[in-house]
C-alpha cells in the first residue's frame, strides 16, 4: 500500500486569498490569524511564512505561534523583503517597477534574525531573486546584489 501524501494547510486572514489558490495547492484552507493559530501544540512538521512577517503588527508573535505548533525537530522557513534596503523598494515602487505593498513594515536583517529566538537558527541568507535553483543561477543572482539582496530567508528548527 502507498503512504498518503502529507497534509498541507494554507492559512490566511483573507478568505478571497485562500479561495484564489488552485484546488490542488493545499489539502486544507483555514481563515485565521497567524498570531493566534487555531492548532494544537506540535501539530506540524514545518511552517512556512512567505511574505507575511512584514504585514503583521507583531512578527515575533507569529514566530512564537509557529514554534508552538511545530513538532520537535520541525522546520520553520520565513521569506521576507530585506528591510536594510527599504530605500530601494521605495524607488522601485515610485518607478512602477514593483507592486505597492499595502500596509507593511520591512524587517532589517538584525530584526529578522532576532525573531528566530524561540528556535535554533540553521541559516539566514539575503538574496536578489532566487533563493534556490540551479547553483550557478543563484550565485550569479546573488553576485548582482553585492551581498545585500532584496529579500532574505531564515531557516530554523524547533529544539
Amino acid at each position: 500500500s502507498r503512504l498518503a501524501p502529507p497534509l498541507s494547510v494554507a492559512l490566511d486572514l483573507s478568505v478571497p486569498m485562500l479561495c484564489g489558490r488552485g484546488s490542488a495547492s493545499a489539502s486544507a484552507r483555514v481563515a485565521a490569524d497567524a498570531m493566534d493559530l487555531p492548532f494544537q501544540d506540535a501539530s506540524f512538521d514545518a511552517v512556512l511564512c512567505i511574505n507575511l512577517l512584514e504585514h503583521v503588527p507583531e512578527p515575533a508573535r507569529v514566530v512564537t505561534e509557529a514554534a508552538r505548533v511545530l513538532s520537535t525537530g520541525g522546520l520553520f522557513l520565513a521569506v521576507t523583503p530585506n528591510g536594510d534596503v527599504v530605500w530601494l523598494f521605495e524607488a522601485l515602487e515610485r518607478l512602477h517597477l514593483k507592486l505597492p505593498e499595502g500596509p507593511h513594515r520591512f524587517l532589517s536583517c538584525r530584526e529578522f534574525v532576532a525573531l528566530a529566538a524561540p528556535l535554533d537558527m540553521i541559516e539566514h541568507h539575503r538574496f536578489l531573486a532566487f533563493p534556490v535553483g540551479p547553483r550557478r543561477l543563484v550565485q550569479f543572482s546573488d553576485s548582482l546584489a553585492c551581498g545585500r539582496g532584496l529579500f532574505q530567508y531564515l531557516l530554523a528548527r524547533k529544539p
Side-chain angles (χ1 to χ4, degrees), residues 50-51 54 78-86 88-89 92 97-99 101 106-109 112 124-131 141-142 145 147-154:
I50 310 300
N51 293 333
E54 68 274 17
V79 178
T80 188
N82 178 358
D84 293 339
V85 293
V86 168
L88 183 54
F89 285 111
L92 292 171
L97 297 173
K98 177 188 159 311
L99 292 174
E101 288 278 333
F106 294 134
L107 300 166
S108 71
C109 290
F112 192 44
H124 170 259
H125 185 75
R126 290 173 282 194
F127 62 95
L128 183 60
F130 304 105
S141 172
D142 283 351
R148 294 190 180 183
L150 291 176
F151 302 94
Q152 55 185 328
Y153 71 81
L154 181 143

Side-chain angles (χ1 to χ4, degrees), residues 11-134:
L11 182 131
D12 200 298
L13 270 176
S14 166
V15 172
M17 287 292 285
L18 288 169
C19 292
R21 297 177 54 88
S23 61
S25 62
S27 300
R29 291 178 178 87
V30 176
D33 188 336
M35 294 187 301
D36 188 22
L37 295 172
F39 306 112
Q40 294 180 359
D41 295 358
S43 297
F44 295 93
D45 295 323
V47 173
L48 308 175
C49 293
I50 310 300
N51 293 333
L52 165 73
L53 296 174
E54 68 274 17
H55 295 286
V56 296
E58 297 177 59
R61 224 168 118 194
V62 172
V63 178
T64 299
E65 275 293 278
R68 180 185 67 76
V69 301
L70 278 171
S71 58
T72 300
L75 295 175
F76 173 77
L77 174 68
V79 178
T80 188
N82 178 358
D84 293 339
V85 293
V86 168
W87 60 271
L88 183 54
F89 285 111
E90 291 170 350
L92 292 171
E93 203 168 295
R94 279 193 304 276
L95 294 169
H96 304 286
L97 297 173
K98 177 188 159 311
L99 292 174
E101 288 278 333
H104 64 276
R105 188 182 78 74
F106 294 134
L107 300 166
S108 71
C109 290
R110 183 178 298 189
E111 290 173 307
F112 192 44
V113 168
L115 289 177
L119 303 163
D120 290 339
M121 172 78 76
I122 296 172
E123 182 176 357
H124 170 259
H125 185 75
R126 290 173 282 194
F127 62 95
L128 183 60
F130 304 105
V132 296

Side-chain angles (χ1 to χ4, degrees), residues 130 132-142:
F130 304 105
V132 296
R135 187 173 190 81
R136 285 191 174 160
L137 179 61
V138 171
Q139 289 172 336
F140 174 72
S141 172
D142 283 351

